[in-house]
Amino acid sequence: MTDPFVVIGGDAAGMSAASKAKREDPDRDVLVFEKGKWVSYAACGMPYYIKGEVDELDNLVAVTPEEFREQRDVDLRTGHEVVAIDPDAKTVTVEADDERFEQSYGDLLIGTGARAIEPPFDGIDLEGVFTLRSMDEAEAIEDYVDTNGPATAAIVGGGYVGVEMAEALTERGVEVSIFEMLPQTLQPFGEETAAVVEDHLREQGVDLHLETAVQGFAGRDHVESVELEDDSVSADLVIVGVGVAPNVELAEEAGIKLGPTGAIATDEYGRTNLEDVYAAGDCAEATNVVTGEPDHVPLALTANRAGRAIGTTVAGEPTKTGGTAGTAIVKAFELGAARTGVIDSERAREAGFDPVSVTIDAETRPHYYPGATELTVTLVADRESERVLGASLVGREGAKRIDTVATAVDAGLTVEELQNLDLAYAPPFSPVWDPILTAAKVLQGKLE
Amino acid sequence: MTDPFVVIGGDAAGMSAASKAKREDPDRDVLVFEKGKWVSYAACGMPYYIKGEVDELDNLVAVTPEEFREQRDVDLRTGHEVVAIDPDAKTVTVEADDERFEQSYGDLLIGTGARAIEPPFDGIDLEGVFTLRSMDEAEAIEDYVDTNGPATAAIVGGGYVGVEMAEALTERGVEVSIFEMLPQTLQPFGEETAAVVEDHLREQGVDLHLETAVQGFAGRDHVESVELEDDSVSADLVIVGVGVAPNVELAEEAGIKLGPTGAIATDEYGRTNLEDVYAAGDCAEATNVVTGEPDHVPLALTANRAGRAIGTTVAGEPTKTGGTAGTAIVKAFELGAARTGVIDSERAREAGFDPVSVTIDAETRPHYYPGATELTVTLVADRESERVLGASLVGREGAKRIDTVATAVDAGLTVEELQNLDLAYAPPFSPVWDPILTAAKVLQGKLE
């Protein structure tokens, strides 16, 4: 009998792989070791729990541990941490509360995820200073808001977490300041989209400090202020959301190679350099569909899809994990902002492109139809090949239209091909020329 | 000096071509002959005028005749009908109220549009029986509703016009019945989507008569009933919306060839078989991007795009008109329904495909996020090539997601490629697996 399929980490990649492998090959043992207590949870839903739109943290759990065990027949061990991998013996060393043992594997998936980066700020260990990466942290923030009723909150970092938490905490009646070192929020979305978001954040009462380096936090029993170089800003609560780092230490110690991004290098099937050892999710790289180069995009769909593919592969049918276009979408109060592909000029040039870009404002419906709102679309293409490289957009409705460009980018369409797409039109849904088509028309004009 | 660019018909195709040609080649004379008084109007907005959401019919006019004349320098002649084309002399014969003259052309665009089909029903000329194709008809219906306050309305035909007018008239307090000869409404959308729409129409109080042939209309001064084979249904107002026929008579008389659909045959630049004579819009064919065959899809975007391309071509830069995927979207009360590509099995087989199809129900957002609603997605692919052929979907939100499939269809993606697209996910916008991806996963399973 084949040795079991062992999965390290019980979130999106790990549980997708475990479930799929067991479904495709029911005779094989599938074990998942998860060091925490939560599995298969929607981390992206946590801000909405804190906001109060999701009643119970448990609602964010897609499949419970019991369901995995009983309905899917996956041997899921929560509270079990894998502390070492021995690729020669094909075993992992597992530690739990009251035991430590070796587990042999036939195939191994590393799905250890990523962790919030915690810069060495003074006072980062003060009570009231949080990162938001795990369900336990979400619970702790929610408790802290409930118990302490903070009047002010400081969010360090103007990325997804920062923007989503600004909305959540404002809704909870907290006055929010965001501190971002860069000249813009939402860096991967480009400056045009970020500018629209920033105006809106300010309209919503968020105090935005761009190009502002936080030195640390001060307070006696708990945090009371954010310390800047020459200022101190009151903050009864601090969320540090400055990015994530892949959890690669366990893999590295076992001799697994990392890629240029610092995450685990994988091939198109999610295989690492060690035989029968796979990696997927936020700890691993994926291939960028625009550049063809390894990329690190720690987002849920990539993790789920790669896990599912690896589950299929280890069950006997080799399946590619699929690439990433770096597609992302974020809600900022009343706005939706989205991006896909390569939109940063410098990054495009590094990948060998000569980027040309336009930004247009277009209505989401005809002017005469009620409820039309403005969508700001930035579209980027390569000058010579005229291939669409990426896009970013923002508006009160229609942010999911990014999927059209995500599809075009993945299919390698040119701007002319994008412009000629037969997109859906009727007055309640779109103007005759969808904003994406309008952007393509304008960009085409610039390419000629 | 080059002879003028002459355009027959002042709506989407014609005015797009005229404007573009003049912009690209300002020295050339551009003449448009429009037999009516309205130009460049959004016919798709007319139901919303009757519904009361659009205050003035004039709001549906994108660019006024004065703007065309004064700002765009287009010699627009409303109330002028072209009654003959002489391709040898390169002239057209124009009739107006008080004159009849020959106009020479260097290039000619036929943009004569389509007309509502009026079956030879008894009583079709009764007062209170309308088709809805022109602005004058929209005005007449609105006046009739205002003046007569009909209690009941019968809509003959369950296509776009029928469904949209059912919503509009219900909103105006009229009790609506729809009579459709086929076993389903919205035939191009497939039966799965239609079934969802039909349930919803009934919920909204619409009396739906499927597989029901109307014999005619009866009434004394004005229409009072719809006559069926063995029944008579009260109707103070009748809208006949059983489809459109391309206006090709003028072209045919001049020796211009029609294609297999009965509309004017064109090449990829919109050229007819006669030198320097183009056709575009609802009177002309376009190439279906799935089948590669001529198709007749009388919709606004195709007309606008083809017109614009022909305007560019006659100004000296040959530009393809683009194909059609037959993408369409329609609002039916609270629902949006959309379709793209080839979804009808018989039509797929005629085009040489072996269609495989799935229909799934998926939520538009994660279960835990407020406001998630169900989207029913039908996805069709070819068994051997696994190429995506088309899709149809319906739900309370998210119908514009059809654009993702429209893009995939145009790009010739396989189901696996569709399934691997990096579409945007965040809880306020989508589940991790967008409904399109879920449909692709299920269809992939069926193909294996």
Side-chain angles (χ1 to χ4, degrees):
Chain A
M1 180 149 175
T2 329
D3 275 326
F5 175 36
V6 171
V7 174
I8 308 173
D11 201 10
M15 296 317 299
S16 296
S19 298
K20 184 69 177 168
K22 193 74 197 178
R23 190 156 64 247
E24 298 294 318
D25 184 4
D27 292 337
R28 189 171 190 191
D29 285 336
V30 176
L31 279 86
V32 180
F33 298 111
E34 163 56 45
K35 69 178 176 179
K37 68 178 179 192
W38 297 97
V39 300
S40 183
Y41 61 91
C44 306
M46 297 188 305
Y48 306 99
Y49 168 69
I50 296 164
K51 186 179 176 189
E53 282 185 332
V54 175
D55 292 339
E56 302 282 337
L57 208 49
D58 280 335
N59 293 355
L60 301 183
V61 174
V63 184
T64 65
E66 294 66 39
E67 286 166 338
F68 277 114
R69 291 179 188 125
E70 286 157 28
Q71 293 167 21
R72 303 198 180 182
D73 201 16
V74 168
D75 186 356
L76 166 63
R77 319 268 185 97
T78 47
H80 283 64
E81 182 173 7
V82 173
V83 296
I85 301 167
D86 183 338
D88 299 321
K90 295 189 82 173
T91 59
V92 295
T93 306
V94 185
E95 280 185 6
D97 267 356
D98 50 3
E99 54 176 346
R100 180 187 171 100
F101 60 92
E102 309 289 308
Q103 169 66 50
S104 65
Y105 64 81
D107 294 290
L108 179 68
L109 169 60
I110 301 172
T112 44
R115 61 176 172 272
I117 293 170
E118 294 193 47
F121 292 135
D122 291 340
I124 198 162
D125 293 326
L126 275 170
E127 206 188 311
V129 178
F130 299 91
T131 58
L132 176 57
R133 182 76 198 162
S134 71
M135 295 281 268
D136 293 332
E137 287 168 313
E139 200 155 35
I141 295 170
E142 156 70 10
D143 282 351
Y144 194 85
V145 173
D146 265 1
T147 312
N148 299 52
T152 55
I155 295 172
V156 183
Y160 307 103
V161 168
V163 165
E164 290 170 348
M165 285 305 298
E167 177 186 331
L169 292 170
T170 300
E171 178 72 24
R172 296 293 299 269
V174 184
E175 240 176 79
V176 174
S177 302
I178 293 180
F179 300 89
E180 169 59 57
M181 284 186 67
L182 297 175
Q184 64 161 93
T185 58
L186 295 177
Q187 197 274 333
F189 290 68
E191 58 191 25
E192 294 82 3
T193 291
V196 176
V197 172
E198 288 156 15
D199 284 348
H200 184 66
L201 289 173
R202 290 189 189 102
E203 273 168 33
Q204 297 285 335
V206 175
D207 192 13
L208 209 53
H209 303 256
L210 300 176
E211 295 186 88
T212 302
V214 166
Q215 308 292 314
F217 313 112
R220 289 212 288 188
D221 300 335
H222 52 75
V223 69
E224 291 168 29
S225 66
V226 173
E227 301 303 311
L228 309 176
E229 202 175 9
D230 48 13
D231 200 3
S232 173
V233 179
S234 161
D236 306 324
L237 164 66
V238 169
I239 310 285
V240 177
V242 297
V244 300
N247 292 321
V248 297
E249 294 73 8
L250 177 70
E252 263 197 300
E253 281 163 21
I256 293 172
K257 287 193 181 141
L258 307 186
T261 70
I264 299 171
T266 59
D267 71 5
E268 59 192 332
Y269 294 92
R271 291 184 290 228
T272 69
N273 60 306
L274 295 185
E275 204 174 352
D276 301 328
V277 179
Y278 301 78
D282 294 358
C283 65
E285 292 182 337
T287 302
N288 187 294
V289 298
V290 179
T291 65
E293 298 292 319
D295 202 352
H296 182 229
V297 183
L299 292 176
L301 177 59
T302 306
N304 275 275
R305 182 149 47 204
R308 189 170 184 273
I310 290 165
T312 313
T313 298
V314 301
E317 190 193 331
T319 301
K320 293 180 185 174
T321 55
T324 175
T327 309
I329 190 166
V330 64
K331 180 167 180 282
F333 293 89
E334 303 301 319
L335 292 181
R339 56 94 60 219
T340 192
V342 174
I343 53 178
D344 181 68
S345 307
E346 202 175 318
R347 192 159 168 226
R349 277 189 285 269
E350 277 166 20
F353 299 111
D354 178 9
V356 184
S357 152
V358 292
T359 298
I360 59 128
D361 292 330
E363 300 280 301
T364 53
R365 308 179 199 194
H367 62 95
Y368 59 79
Y369 194 88
T373 62
E374 199 167 80
L375 199 67
T376 300
V377 182
T378 301
L379 187 65
V380 184
D382 175 46
R383 185 176 297 279
E384 199 190 323
S385 65
E386 301 195 353
R387 179 179 166 196
V388 179
L389 299 179
S392 178
L393 49 80
V394 57
R396 284 176 185 264
E397 64 174 6
K400 266 291 264 182
R401 296 183 194 209
I402 199 71
D403 287 349
T404 301
V405 187
T407 307
V409 158
D410 197 298
L413 298 192
T414 63
V415 177
E416 188 182 357
E417 288 167 332
L418 179 62
Q419 179 189 325
N420 277 340
L421 288 176
D422 190 11
L423 304 185
Y425 158 62
F429 303 98
S430 176
V432 174
W433 295 94
D434 186 276
I436 300 290
L437 298 178
T438 300
K441 279 200 294 185
V442 177
L443 184 52
Q444 183 69 35
K446 205 167 166 181
L447 286 169
E448 276 160 7
Chain B
M1 181 150 175
T2 329
D3 275 325
F5 175 37
V6 171
V7 174
I8 308 173
D11 202 10
M15 296 318 298
S16 295
S19 299
K20 184 69 178 170
K22 192 74 196 178
R23 192 157 64 246
E24 298 294 317
D25 184 4
D27 292 337
R28 188 171 190 191
D29 285 336
V30 176
L31 279 87
V32 179
F33 297 110
E34 163 57 45
K35 68 178 175 180
K37 69 178 179 192
W38 297 97
V39 300
S40 183
Y41 61 91
C44 306
M46 296 188 305
Y48 305 99
Y49 168 70
I50 295 164
K51 187 180 176 190
E53 282 185 331
V54 175
D55 293 338
E56 303 281 337
L57 207 50
D58 280 335
N59 294 354
L60 300 183
V61 175
V63 184
T64 65
E66 293 67 38
E67 287 166 338
F68 276 115
R69 289 177 189 127
E70 285 156 30
Q71 293 167 24
R72 303 197 179 183
D73 200 16
V74 168
D75 186 357
L76 166 63
R77 319 266 185 97
T78 47
H80 283 63
E81 182 173 6
V82 173
V83 296
I85 301 167
D86 182 339
D88 299 321
K90 294 188 84 173
T91 59
V92 294
T93 306
V94 185
E95 280 186 3
D97 268 356
D98 49 4
E99 54 176 347
R100 179 187 170 101
F101 60 90
E102 307 290 307
Q103 168 66 50
S104 66
Y105 65 80
D107 295 289
L108 179 68
L109 170 59
I110 300 172
T112 44
R115 61 176 171 270
I117 293 171
E118 295 194 46
F121 293 135
D122 291 340
I124 197 162
D125 294 326
L126 275 171
E127 206 189 311
V129 178
F130 300 91
T131 57
L132 177 57
R133 182 76 199 162
S134 70
M135 295 281 269
D136 292 331
E137 288 168 313
E139 200 155 36
I141 295 170
E142 157 69 9
D143 281 351
Y144 194 84
V145 173
D146 265 359
T147 312
N148 300 53
T152 55
I155 295 171
V156 184
Y160 308 103
V161 168
V163 165
E164 289 171 348
M165 284 305 298
E167 177 187 330
L169 292 171
T170 300
E171 178 72 23
R172 296 292 301 268
V174 184
E175 240 177 80
V176 173
S177 303
I178 293 180
F179 300 88
E180 169 60 56
M181 284 186 66
L182 298 174
Q184 65 162 92
T185 59
L186 294 177
Q187 198 274 335
F189 291 67
E191 58 191 27
E192 294 82 3
T193 291
V196 176
V197 171
E198 288 156 15
D199 284 348
H200 184 65
L201 289 173
R202 290 190 189 101
E203 273 168 33
Q204 297 286 335
V206 175
D207 191 13
L208 209 52
H209 302 255
L210 300 176
E211 296 185 87
T212 302
V214 166
Q215 309 291 318
F217 313 111
R220 290 213 286 190
D221 300 332
H222 53 74
V223 68
E224 291 169 29
S225 66
V226 172
E227 299 304 310
L228 309 176
E229 201 176 8
D230 48 12
D231 199 2
S232 172
V233 179
S234 160
D236 306 323
L237 164 66
V238 169
I239 311 284
V240 177
V242 296
V244 299
N247 292 321
V248 297
E249 293 74 8
L250 177 70
E252 263 197 301
E253 281 163 22
I256 292 172
K257 285 192 182 141
L258 307 186
T261 70
I264 299 171
T266 60
D267 71 5
E268 57 193 333
Y269 293 93
R271 291 184 290 228
T272 70
N273 60 306
L274 295 186
E275 203 174 353
D276 300 328
V277 179
Y278 300 78
D282 294 358
C283 65
E285 293 184 335
T287 302
N288 188 294
V289 299
V290 179
T291 65
E293 299 292 321
D295 202 352
H296 182 228
V297 182
L299 292 175
L301 176 59
T302 306
N304 274 275
R305 182 150 47 205
R308 190 170 183 272
I310 290 165
T312 313
T313 297
V314 301
E317 191 193 331
T319 301
K320 292 180 186 175
T321 54
T324 175
T327 309
I329 190 166
V330 64
K331 180 168 180 284
F333 292 89
E334 303 302 318
L335 292 181
R339 56 95 58 221
T340 192
V342 174
I343 54 179
D344 181 67
S345 307
E346 202 174 318
R347 193 159 168 225
R349 277 190 285 269
E350 278 167 20
F353 300 111
D354 178 9
V356 184
S357 150
V358 293
T359 298
I360 60 129
D361 292 329
E363 300 279 301
T364 53
R365 309 180 198 193
H367 62 96
Y368 58 79
Y369 194 88
T373 62
E374 200 167 80
L375 199 67
T376 300
V377 182
T378 300
L379 187 64
V380 185
D382 175 47
R383 184 177 297 280
E384 200 190 323
S385 66
E386 302 195 354
R387 179 180 166 194
V388 179
L389 299 179
S392 178
L393 50 80
V394 57
R396 285 177 185 264
E397 63 173 8
K400 266 291 264 181
R401 295 183 195 211
I402 199 70
D403 287 349
T404 301
V405 187
T407 307
V409 158
D410 196 299
L413 298 193
T414 64
V415 177
E416 188 183 358
E417 287 167 331
L418 180 62
Q419 179 190 328
N420 278 339
L421 288 176
D422 190 11
L423 303 185
Y425 158 61
F429 303 98
S430 176
V432 174
W433 294 94
D434 186 277
I436 300 290
L437 299 177
T438 300
K441 280 201 292 185
V442 176
L443 184 52
Q444 183 69 36
K446 203 166 168 183
L447 286 169
E448 276 159 8

